[in-house]
Amino acid sequence: MAKKELVTQVKLQLPAGKATPAPPVGPALGQHGLNIMDFVKKFNDATADKGETIIPVLINVYKDRSFDFILKTPPASVLIKKALGLQKGSSNALKVKVGKLSKEKLEEIAKIKMPDLNTKDLHKAMKIVAGTAINMGVEMQDF
């Protein structure tokens, strides 16, 4: 079988199981001549069990207008907001704190994010997630 020639990669962040052909999906895939509804159906089927979490997806577009996609783990900020029950992070992270994240929750989020991070060490992954939390105005407990 001949190797398919990769034309481009498209990165999107979509709600799990709720992708529609409306923007941002339609314009991003339509300009490459892809079957938008085919992608929407496959994405929604693959992410139906993930609730309403935002899922980053990397779509590989090939010369023959076929595609495949890779699902990533949710962004750390989304997982932190979900863990603390927040709507959004702080508007001024240095002065306004919006919550406290325990070491156990931090470790749980780091374990979820491990496949997409550039480390295999759990402690370093926790530091990466802690940096995101601090930039959101979240304080660390016991870390």
Side-chain angles (χ1 to χ4, degrees), residues 1-6 62-64:
M1 185 173 151
K3 187 176 177 183
K4 292 183 178 182
E5 184 180 343
L6 183 67
Y62 299 104
K63 193 171 186 174
D64 63 354

Side-chain angles (χ1 to χ4, degrees), residues 54-106:
I54 300 294
I55 304 290
V57 61
L58 177 66
I59 306 161
N60 294 317
V61 180
Y62 299 104
K63 193 171 186 174
D64 63 354
R65 293 186 178 170
S66 63
F67 68 91
D68 60 15
F69 60 90
I70 302 166
L71 299 174
K72 302 287 187 174
T73 57
S77 59
V78 171
L79 296 173
I80 292 166
K81 288 189 294 188
K82 187 176 180 181
L84 296 177
L86 300 174
Q87 290 293 319
K88 61 180 185 173
S90 174
S91 59
N92 187 346
L94 294 175
K95 295 181 181 178
V96 181
K97 302 299 179 186
V98 293
K100 291 187 178 189
L101 191 63
S102 67
K103 187 174 182 179
E104 293 79 24
K105 288 280 187 186
L106 182 66

Side-chain angles (χ1 to χ4, degrees), residues 109-128:
I109 293 169
K111 285 180 181 177
I112 293 170
K113 288 295 296 174
M114 283 288 275
D116 291 341
L117 295 177
N118 60 355
T119 184
K120 301 293 181 211
D121 182 18
L122 180 61
H123 186 70
K124 289 180 182 175
M126 288 171 63
K127 282 186 168 185
I128 293 170

